[in-house]
Amino acid sequence: MTQKTAMRSRAGGRSARRAVRSAMNFDMLPGLTNKLPICEVMDGSQVERIHNASMDILENVGVLFRDPIALEDWKKVGAKVIDEMVYLDRGLVMDLISTIPAEFTYHARNPKNNLKLGGRNSVFVPMTGAPFIRDLDNVRRNPMMEDLATFHKLSHMMPALNSSAHHIVEPYDHPISQRHLRITYSSMKYSDKMFMGMTTSPKNAEDVMDMCAILFGEEFMEDNPVTTGNCNGNSPLVWDETMLGAMRAFCKRKQPVLCSPFVLGGANTPASVPATVAQLNAEALSALAYTQVIRKGAPAIYGHYLSTVSMKSGAPMAGTPEISLMNFMIGQMARFYDVPWRTSNTLGGAKTFDAQAGYESATTLSAVIHSGANYIWHSAGWNEAGMHCSIAKFVVDAEQCAMAHRMASGPQWHDFDQAVAAVSEVGPGGHYLGHEHTQENFQTAFFMPELFDNNSIEQWAAEGEVEITERALKHARHLLGEYQEPHLDVAKNEELLEYIARREREIPAVAELNQDY
């Protein structure tokens, strides 16, 4: 090889490496297997104290099941039922929850995006339920179906997000009674990752199950989780007819549900971290046990929504020390029962994407990762106590999840010997920037955030003093410009649209949830 040929070869190699570095990779990251030491703040005797306190609550205080079907179901399995109050013997509870799978695999419509959940396996899921959006112009307004599609597209393109969720924002241009149909279709159409299913009423949940059967097949769903429903409890100690009916729709089709007490610490729980966990644990266990009354072996997830209440204003707070402690403790309780568990991630009460939003979200993210949570919901976009989803924060949160994924995956040892060999080759006083190992590995050796600015203040000023919100919105526009819709089988797509059209004819277009049609 001549010198010129060798030079061209080296230059070509550098050009190829630059091209690879500059091309963005939108492939979903592998599922997170958390290798960090889990933070456990209770010893064995304290776990037992929480467990026994929860069992005492279930046996002696009872749980209100405001649903005649659930009350009859509980009677059939031997529970003590007085009016709407159900008293659960600890032996019955422990027997029932023993059939909940400790681990299972979610199946996406693209099999490359299938994911394990439970044990050390975790997934990141965007926020849902926001009645407002901060859009690509950073304007707070009511969202429409097109805005929901925007978030589903961004979810598809952000490597650390494992799900397109469901109603990330509420689409106000569709009637409430029919909205769940178009939300579910948007989740399915614009991403081939897993998604969540609407549980806003039992009828809505049944529609979601029918749409999943069209997409995946009824028989496939018998043995394979393809979506997730969320059922919120009304703390203290109440489960209502709407949530329980939706739970039945999912469990009968063997699809996972999050059994989620809704905690406002100090308002609907005692003003005590351990006592709050004891109550929440009782609430979650009562719902988890009921999933197995509905169908033995149905996958279910120990859930919760955590906030503490400001005693000054009554407003919910996020990012507080007590929320982190409760996450650590709830993780221990879920592992004690050997069931997967859900938490909430980048929460905050800030009104804009400001320093408060960053601090609140980072505090919670750190606790969530170190608590060993499995289903990590509300991982992108949450602001203003969930009242709006911010596009700018959505993409930054997603990058934070990618950084958490890298950290929790643990140190990479595959190139250790080569890297150590570079020490003797560079020697004292040298530098590694031009070394072959550095050139081959620098892009993957250390995480380089796309959305943080680490340049000098002079360079930052020369480039227009762009703050993170503007930088994030520019990045979101770029992502949307690069978006390519994943292929959806034509026949299945037509069948889904026909189903939606039929159900929209059957369900009156009104401003209330469909309970009857």
Side-chain angles (χ1 to χ4, degrees):
M1 181 183 293
T2 66
Q3 184 177 3
K4 287 185 178 180
T5 302
M7 290 176 66
R8 281 197 298 270
S9 177
R10 286 195 295 272
R14 286 194 296 270
S15 298
R17 287 194 292 270
R18 277 196 299 270
V20 170
R21 289 195 296 268
S22 62
M24 296 187 68
N25 184 0
F26 303 122
D27 292 342
M28 193 177 80
L29 292 172
L32 173 60
T33 301
N34 194 334
K35 297 179 180 177
L36 295 177
I38 293 175
C39 182
E40 298 196 331
V41 296
M42 297 187 290
D43 61 28
S45 66
Q46 291 165 331
V47 169
E48 288 287 348
R49 286 186 72 184
I50 295 291
H51 169 72
N52 288 327
S54 299
M55 292 300 162
D56 287 343
I57 291 169
L58 292 174
E59 289 178 335
N60 301 313
V61 179
V63 180
L64 199 60
F65 278 79
R66 291 177 174 156
D67 175 56
I69 296 175
L71 294 171
E72 287 303 312
D73 288 341
W74 279 121
K75 290 176 183 177
K76 290 176 184 176
V77 296
K80 178 182 176 182
V81 178
I82 301 176
D83 297 325
E84 293 184 326
M85 193 69 72
V86 178
Y87 300 89
L88 296 174
D89 175 79
R90 65 190 66 202
L92 175 63
V93 171
M94 296 302 288
D95 181 59
L96 286 169
I97 67 170
S98 69
T99 58
I100 296 173
E103 299 183 23
F104 57 84
T105 298
Y106 276 111
H107 291 261
R109 68 177 178 93
N110 180 354
K112 292 181 180 178
N113 293 331
N114 293 354
L115 288 164
K116 293 181 179 179
L117 187 91
R120 285 284 192 159
N121 302 301
S122 303
V123 299
F124 292 106
V125 181
M127 78 157 291
T128 64
F132 295 94
I133 180 178
R134 275 197 179 271
D135 61 19
L136 286 165
D137 296 314
N138 201 31
V139 174
R140 184 183 184 274
R141 59 173 174 81
N142 289 134
M144 303 298 167
M145 187 61 69
E146 183 179 2
D147 299 308
L148 178 60
T150 291
F151 282 115
H152 287 157
K153 292 173 184 178
L154 290 172
S155 299
H156 179 68
M157 299 188 76
M158 305 302 294
L161 296 182
N162 303 123
S163 170
S164 60
H166 45 32
H167 66 317
I168 295 174
V169 291
E170 286 285 350
Y172 280 76
D173 51 342
H174 283 262
I176 293 173
S177 58
Q178 301 172 351
R179 195 175 286 175
H180 64 288
L181 299 165
R182 297 289 175 176
I183 291 169
T184 303
Y185 180 68
S186 182
S187 300
M188 293 174 166
K189 176 180 173 64
Y190 294 112
S191 175
D192 59 10
K193 299 178 181 180
M194 69 174 184
F195 56 89
M196 297 186 72
M198 299 291 288
T199 53
T200 40
S201 78
K203 294 291 186 182
N204 291 358
E206 290 168 9
D207 283 338
V208 171
M209 291 294 96
D210 289 345
M211 292 177 72
C212 287
I214 293 170
L215 187 62
F216 293 97
E218 188 77 51
E219 291 184 7
F220 186 83
M221 290 172 63
E222 253 318 283
D223 299 310
N224 300 288
V226 301
T227 189
T228 310
N230 179 59
C231 297
N232 282 327
N234 298 322
S235 298
L237 299 165
V238 177
W239 292 96
D240 67 32
E241 186 174 20
T242 296
M243 291 288 94
L244 293 169
M247 184 184 292
R248 285 191 291 272
F250 273 68
C251 291
K252 286 176 180 177
R253 307 284 268 273
K254 292 195 76 174
Q255 296 305 302
V257 289
L258 311 172
C259 300
S260 303
F262 197 92
V263 169
L264 300 169
N268 62 7
T269 72
S272 156
V273 166
T276 291
V277 172
Q279 177 189 302
L280 178 157
N281 190 54
E283 293 166 336
L285 289 173
S286 66
L288 289 167
Y290 185 59
T291 66
Q292 304 307 291
V293 174
I294 298 166
R295 186 163 182 186
K296 187 175 181 179
I301 300 169
Y302 184 134
H304 63 76
Y305 171 82
L306 292 178
S307 67
T308 50
V309 170
S310 169
M311 296 303 170
K312 296 178 182 178
S313 65
M317 299 184 293
T320 62
E322 291 76 20
I323 293 174
S324 295
L325 289 171
M326 284 190 274
N327 268 311
F328 299 143
M329 296 168 75
I330 292 163
Q332 286 188 256
M333 298 313 299
R335 289 187 290 277
F336 178 77
Y337 302 117
D338 198 23
V339 294
W341 69 288
R342 161 250 160 147
T343 189
S344 300
N345 193 1
T346 55
L347 304 185
K351 312 308 174 284
T352 62
F353 185 24
D354 58 8
Q356 178 183 332
Y359 280 122
E360 289 172 327
S361 294
T363 298
T364 307
L365 172 59
S366 178
V368 162
I369 292 297
H370 288 93
S371 67
N374 302 122
Y375 195 96
I376 306 175
W377 194 8
H378 302 314
S379 285
W382 182 287
N383 226 11
E384 195 191 339
M387 289 299 291
H388 82 252
C389 185
S390 158
I391 289 181
K393 190 170 184 290
F394 192 93
V395 296
V396 176
D397 284 346
E399 186 172 74
Q400 288 288 293
C401 290
M403 294 172 73
H405 185 288
R406 170 67 71 85
M407 178 181 72
S409 296
Q412 302 300 307
W413 290 86
H414 64 280
D415 63 338
F416 177 73
D417 292 337
Q418 298 94 313
V420 169
V423 177
S424 61
E425 292 168 7
V426 170
H431 70 78
Y432 293 84
L433 297 176
H435 191 275
E436 181 180 0
H437 179 270
T438 303
Q439 293 295 307
E440 293 296 330
N441 292 279
F442 78 91
Q443 189 175 11
T444 56
F446 306 111
F447 194 101
M448 292 184 287
E450 294 279 343
L451 298 173
F452 288 1
D453 187 312
N454 297 297
N455 295 321
S456 68
I457 192 168
E458 291 82 9
Q459 186 172 347
W460 176 71
E463 293 175 354
E465 300 184 353
V466 178
E467 297 280 3
I468 192 166
T469 298
E470 182 181 347
R471 194 159 55 246
L473 291 173
K474 180 180 178 181
H475 182 66
R477 290 189 185 94
H478 174 71
L479 290 174
L480 294 168
E482 295 289 319
Y483 172 79
Q484 294 182 0
E485 186 176 313
H487 174 72
L488 176 58
D489 180 79
V490 174
K492 290 181 178 179
N493 186 52
E494 289 177 354
E495 191 174 353
L496 285 167
L497 291 173
E498 289 170 1
Y499 181 88
I500 291 169
R502 175 174 65 82
R503 292 295 287 142
E504 287 180 340
R505 290 192 300 270
E506 294 170 347
I507 302 170
V510 295
E512 59 187 36
L513 293 171
N514 175 39
Q515 301 280 6
D516 302 312
Y517 296 91

